[in-house]
Amino acid sequence: MTSSTKDTIPLTTKIGNTDHLILMREIDDDRFGNPDKLNSAYVDRVAPQFVSSGYTRTRSYDSVLNAFPVEHYFRICGLTTVTGLARFSASNWRLRILSRTANMAPIRIHEEAGTGAADISIPVKLSKRPYRLYFELSWEGELSVDLLAWTAPKPKALQPLGVSITTYNKAAYLLPNLGTLSQSAAYAAGVLDLLVVNNGDPLPEDPAMAEVKVLPNVGGTGGFLAGHAHFKEKGYRHFVIMDDDIAILPDFIDRLYAISCFAKNVHVGTMAEILNVPERIVKEQGANVSGSHTFGIDLINPFTDLKGWE
């Protein structure tokens, strides 16, 4: 049997005498809300490699939402070292930190084994190349995980992050979306500033967690620009512009918040558009704001097509 304790989601944690900001936590379910998609990273199984006696189950966190994308944090945040933090317990366990490039064989960075409760912090140096870090946890008996995360020393001052959502008569999507944001560690810590730009009918209820700016129907782009102007006037260095019907995990905004605390001289935008064809293909793009490229953006992956099950 396995269990996980996640009643309280921390934004920061103390390692030794140093406060650390949590960059990303490992999450239990990375199926993107699709119950029919098997979650290969969270299926208990006999360890396929690095097997030694005494361990009956192994869980690899090498998945899209759990593996740590080194180049991302190295380039955008300027981090040269992160700390892998593991707080869990099992009667007999082994923890590994592995690095991997594409589908090549993993490289073992760190390993330790023990019994009972574990509180482990492992500094890992980063380098500028496209690879990922991930945890592999083996155990026998019952496993209880309190926290598996990647962290870095907390900046002296935590700046707020603005989040703007433009809506047009989609309260059924907007309000649950705001509810998800309010479950995040960043919101609980008071460092999210939420704005709703309402282009449509009055909302059935005013969301207590967000400011509402009522506009005539200025369209999606007009709503996005209104959010941009709102947070620019407040002097925010970073803010997020969202649609009203996007489904995200609470941890997603926490990750964006952590990136905003470290990012310097780089702004990153992501976009996903659904092509209006029967297959409903998602066209995924990302861009860096750049003064030397057309329209001031440098597209990263403009030709990536994703089917729904991907």
Side-chain angles (χ1 to χ4, degrees), residues 268-296:
V268 176
T270 61
M271 176 175 67
E273 53 186 303
I274 301 177
L275 302 185
N276 190 22
V277 295
E279 296 80 10
R280 304 292 283 173
I281 295 174
V282 175
K283 188 81 170 178
E284 185 183 22
Q285 300 180 4
N288 291 335
V289 175
S290 169
S292 60
H293 290 80
T294 306
F295 301 119

Side-chain angles (χ1 to χ4, degrees), residues 74-102:
F74 183 96
R75 180 169 54 86
I76 297 171
C77 299
L79 295 175
T80 57
T81 302
V82 295
T83 297
L85 179 61
R87 293 170 179 163
F88 62 91
S89 65
S91 59
N92 193 24
W93 54 262
R94 178 189 61 210
L95 178 73
R96 295 177 187 266
I97 290 182
L98 307 170
S99 72
R100 197 172 187 186
T101 302

Side-chain angles (χ1 to χ4, degrees), residues 61 72 75 139 159 165:
Y61 289 88
H72 194 72
R75 180 169 54 86
W139 76 97
Q159 302 296 324
I165 304 178

Side-chain angles (χ1 to χ4, degrees), residues 231-243:
F231 290 119
K232 185 177 180 181
E233 184 178 352
K234 283 192 165 186
Y236 283 20
R237 293 180 60 245
H238 301 285
F239 45 86
V240 177
I241 306 295
M242 287 176 50
D243 282 330

